[in-house]
Amino acid sequence: MSKRTIDFTKSILERVSFDAILFAKELQKAVKGLLPYELEELTKWFFDFTQGKPELRKCAIYLNV
């Protein structure tokens, strides 16, 4: 994925963050297509974005961390 795709993925995740189930599905889809360094970037973003959002933080299991 290019930098633009990473940004697009983040924006999709932000837009669906109102629903934890939908967020989990989109996160799973994103992880499947990422290269290792892209997954690392997404993981950092994920933990920053979900700070204070325990319903979304549970989705960390899909990041294999």
Side-chain angles (χ1 to χ4, degrees), residues 7-20:
D7 292 338
F8 180 71
T9 299
K10 290 176 188 176
S11 73
I12 294 294
L13 289 169
E14 288 173 358
R15 284 188 232 149
V16 299
S17 64
F18 65 91
D19 182 348

Side-chain angles (χ1 to χ4, degrees), residues 37-55:
Y37 74 92
E38 294 167 329
L39 183 57
E40 183 178 323
E41 181 181 340
L42 185 67
T43 301
K44 288 177 185 174
W45 172 86
F46 172 84
F47 285 109
D48 287 341
F49 182 74
T50 60
Q51 188 172 13
K53 300 174 183 170
E55 68 282 1

